[in-house]
Amino acid sequence: MTSAPYGLLLDVDGPLASTVTRSIRIPSIADDLVAIANSGCPVVFNTGRSDAFLAEQVIPELVRAGLAADAPVWGIGEKGASWFTVTNGRIGAVQVDETIAVPADLVAACRAIAEQHRDLMFWDATKRTMVSLEQNLDVENAEFLGRRAQVTAELDAAIASLGLADRFYTVPTVISIDLEHRTAGKALGAERAVRLVGERMEVPRRWFTAGDSHGDYDMAAWLHDAAYDATHLDVRPSGDQPETAFTVLREIPTFAEGHAEDDITASYLTRWRAELAV
């Protein structure tokens, strides 16, 4: 059996979905992803988002772009804690690793904190294992970022008060604050991705990953350590580029009109699609 030329392992917020609209705003992203998947290359979304977000905001865009019923597409949510296969344009049964879910007493403490800051952020009720407080759509990002450190500290204090700091921690992002298990992460998602792909087809030796956070490098690092050829696209608006043993493509968005993180990913997806002549 011949393997596909490459696979895609992609973060969603930033590289694919606009952090402003929280949706896929560039039509070519869906068009190119579909062409790549329909050609037989595995496409795996590896995100901190929930399965519900993927089912509502991502998969329908692929279906509209002509996703084949048997295209090799998977979703991995909550940084490796949930996962599913896409078949006939729909997500299949969602698998969840309950062993890394935030316990009920910590969830309750976090809900109380979220309520105090609902003017800027909302509780993501679609999460199955994580806690996420996300910037309200009608709030300026600068306002959210201005209070992010305070809310993060309050969540950290809640973790410590329950004696759970050895198991759970907070991860601030551009538009949210996530609270998750220490074993969750993009590396766990990469491991699950390779396992899922391998259950259906020969796993490609070559992979492209993409992300807009330092933690997204963990996808390519895991693949490299597992002897795959990994190339990572970094579309972060700021931050130093770490030294890596794998190839990194780095473009910093200028945020001029029509140039954001997803614009960068769109341009690379078009190039990767061109390799397949599809």
Side-chain angles (χ1 to χ4, degrees):
M1 179 170 54
T2 303
S3 69
Y6 60 76
L8 298 182
L9 185 59
L10 309 170
D11 180 32
V12 174
D13 275 328
L16 300 179
S18 165
T19 56
V20 176
T21 66
R22 322 284 166 87
S23 63
I24 295 179
R25 68 178 183 91
I26 302 174
S28 71
I29 287 179
D31 292 340
D32 290 340
L33 286 173
V34 165
I36 291 168
N38 286 354
S39 76
C41 292
V43 174
V44 188
F45 303 108
N46 185 17
T47 178
R49 285 289 190 179
S50 65
D51 58 273
F53 182 88
L54 291 170
E56 294 168 6
Q57 296 295 336
V58 178
I59 305 307
E61 293 301 316
L62 303 188
V63 172
R64 279 192 281 271
L67 185 69
D70 60 349
V73 177
W74 292 266
I76 297 173
E78 302 185 42
K79 300 182 183 177
S82 67
W83 58 97
F84 60 82
T85 301
V86 176
T87 307
N88 295 319
R90 298 181 178 85
I91 72 168
V94 178
Q95 305 296 311
V96 180
D97 185 351
E98 298 286 359
T99 67
I100 60 175
V102 177
D105 51 354
L106 181 53
V107 170
C110 293
R111 275 191 175 275
I113 292 169
E115 182 65 20
Q116 296 170 18
H117 300 281
R118 62 181 180 177
D119 58 319
L120 288 186
M121 56 194 77
F122 66 90
W123 179 270
D124 185 349
T126 68
K127 294 295 179 73
R128 298 172 185 264
T129 67
M130 297 170 57
V131 163
S132 290
L133 279 60
E134 184 173 336
Q135 175 192 322
N136 293 337
L137 278 166
D138 60 353
V139 166
E140 292 294 326
N141 187 239
E143 291 184 73
F144 170 79
L145 294 177
R147 201 185 299 175
R148 185 179 64 180
Q150 174 192 339
V151 179
T152 300
E154 291 174 5
L155 293 172
D156 286 339
I159 295 171
S161 69
L162 293 170
L164 295 171
D166 60 330
R167 295 170 54 203
F168 296 92
Y169 74 126
T170 52
V171 182
T173 78
V174 174
I175 57 171
S176 69
I177 307 168
D178 295 331
L179 190 156
E180 62 198 60
H181 198 278
R182 291 188 178 277
T183 61
K186 294 306 179 73
L188 178 60
E191 181 180 3
R192 292 208 194 280
V194 168
R195 185 179 306 133
L196 288 168
V197 172
E199 290 172 354
R200 171 173 174 177
M201 59 192 289
E202 185 174 344
V203 180
R205 302 312 305 172
R206 185 179 177 214
W207 286 84
F208 293 110
T209 64
D212 69 338
S213 72
H214 191 278
D216 287 320
Y217 274 75
D218 292 346
M219 293 188 279
W222 188 92
L223 288 165
H224 174 80
D225 291 345
Y228 294 97
D229 177 6
T231 297
H232 182 64
L233 172 62
D234 180 358
V235 298
R236 288 178 299 156
S238 62
D240 294 334
Q241 180 178 321
E243 291 188 14
T244 66
F246 49 85
T247 301
V248 174
L249 307 171
R250 181 79 193 273
E251 286 197 29
I252 299 176
T254 62
F255 293 102
E257 185 174 351
H259 188 270
E261 299 102 317
D262 48 346
D263 289 287
I264 296 171
T265 310
S267 69
Y268 276 95
L269 285 172
T270 299
R271 297 180 209 179
W272 297 336
R273 174 183 179 179
E275 286 192 23
L276 305 172
V278 294

